[in-house]
Amino acid sequence: MSDTVASLYGGPAGKRVRTRDLQLAKERGEKWAMLTSYDQYTARIFDDAGIPVLLVGDSAANNVFGYETTLPVTVDQLIPLVRAVVHGAKRALVVGDLPFGSYEESPAQAVRTSVRFMKEAMCHAVKLEGARRDAIQAITGAGIPVMAHIGFTPQSEHLFGGYRVQGRGEDAKLLVEQAHTCYEAGAFAVVLEMVPGEVAKQITEEIPVPTIGIGAGPDTDAQVLVWQDMAGMRVGGGPVPRFVKRYANLAEELSKAVHAFADEVRDGQFPTQDHTF
Ligand code: KIV
């Protein structure tokens, strides 16, 4: 590993990862991982593990609030979660996801919402869905870095008719054009969700800023997963998507701990003198 590689994945604590560090990682061909986070403890754990970018996704709608889609979650619900992650992460760049309805009306609305995220949640960048040239230009024009998100964009799931791969066949050209639009408008990175691996590879080769794949194959510059999916914390809510790899079974571990606690209380084994003042 070169020195610069070490600086993205395990650099000095307290030196915040910047969008420029991600750009440099792309230039030297270093891949990296992004995770969602919605609270201070996971932010701390992921940050300590060297994850350079944490996304407080609007997927909090499903994974925190228990909604069926991402559509109902609001700016007022997300901002406290973003603030908690910012408090927990000393090094990672924290991205706040603009929820459905908070940026589509006009570039002015997009700037207003982004400014709220930056002022009230103190995150370091925002993310929005769609190749929205005007909104991306307006937000970056206000000094706020923007991560774009194209392909399958969950806020438009009713328009897409469900969770469907985007950019297949003739639609590939449109997807590539959208990626260029995001880059030209000033996005510092582009999330590619549920798109054919070959198209993701082409986009990654063509645009100078990092691509972050989720269900987009192995050739993007970075990969993102929802942490509860990756760590086996998801219970209910339908099948886990095919693009997810589960690295742990935290739901089972937690359930074991809860059963042990409940049993010990019932049997009078907890608390003991050690836990008593
Ligand atoms: O909201 C989210 O978690 C996301 C990622 C899955 C990219 O948009």
Side-chain angles (χ1 to χ4, degrees), residues 55-62 68-75 78 96-105 109 113 117 127-130 132 147 149-163 193:
L55 170 66
V56 188
D58 65 344
S59 53
N62 318 86
E68 274 184 22
T69 73
T70 59
L71 277 71
V73 79
T74 64
V75 173
L78 283 183
D97 209 1
L98 305 185
F100 176 65
S102 72
Y103 60 95
E104 300 90 334
E105 273 171 38
Q109 187 206 22
T113 306
F117 271 78
K127 177 169 90 55
L128 55 71
E129 294 187 3
R132 296 171 190 277
M147 177 180 283
H149 181 166
I150 58 173
F152 176 73
T153 44
Q155 292 173 15
S156 305
E157 75 158 86
H158 296 299
L159 189 70
F160 291 138
Y163 273 65
E193 179 161 355

Side-chain angles (χ1 to χ4, degrees), residues 58-270:
D58 65 344
S59 53
N62 318 86
N63 297 302
V64 175
F65 297 107
Y67 301 131
E68 274 184 22
T69 73
T70 59
L71 277 71
V73 79
T74 64
V75 173
D76 288 336
Q77 284 174 310
L78 283 183
I79 280 183
L81 308 188
V82 181
R83 199 184 296 135
V85 171
V86 170
H87 278 301
K90 299 287 168 268
R91 179 174 174 271
L93 182 127
V94 179
V95 182
D97 209 1
L98 305 185
F100 176 65
S102 72
Y103 60 95
E104 300 90 334
E105 273 171 38
S106 64
Q109 187 206 22
V111 172
R112 222 170 18 250
T113 306
S114 303
V115 167
R116 278 199 66 189
F117 271 78
M118 302 299 279
K119 268 189 188 291
E120 296 174 37
M122 294 170 287
C123 56
H124 314 114
V126 297
K127 177 169 90 55
L128 55 71
E129 294 187 3
R132 296 171 190 277
R133 185 188 293 276
D134 293 349
I136 296 171
Q137 274 175 346
I139 300 168
T140 53
I144 301 169
V146 178
M147 177 180 283
H149 181 166
I150 58 173
F152 176 73
T153 44
Q155 292 173 15
S156 305
E157 75 158 86
H158 296 299
L159 189 70
F160 291 138
Y163 273 65
R164 304 168 82 92
V165 174
Q166 303 295 308
R168 277 199 166 124
E170 297 199 341
D171 290 345
K173 190 165 171 279
L174 177 64
L175 193 67
V176 174
E177 281 168 12
Q178 287 177 342
H180 280 276
T181 300
C182 294
Y183 160 63
E184 283 159 16
F188 73 87
V190 181
V191 173
L192 302 174
E193 179 161 355
M194 286 178 67
V195 305
E198 276 310 306
V199 185
K201 182 170 189 282
Q202 183 187 341
I203 291 172
T204 302
E205 285 166 0
E206 286 187 14
I207 65 169
V209 294
T211 57
I212 306 165
I214 175 162
D219 293 309
T220 52
D221 298 302
Q223 297 286 334
V224 56
L225 286 176
V226 167
W227 87 258
Q228 288 93 340
D229 292 348
M230 182 273 307
M233 261 299 277
R234 176 159 149 166
V235 280
V240 174
R242 189 179 127 198
F243 57 74
V244 170
K245 179 168 175 184
R246 209 175 69 176
Y247 289 85
N249 193 344
L250 289 198
E252 198 176 292
E253 282 301 304
L254 190 55
S255 177
K256 275 192 219 156
V258 172
H259 276 100
F261 170 57
D263 290 349
E264 289 198 2
V265 170
R266 187 193 54 211
D267 299 344
Q269 292 173 13
F270 177 84

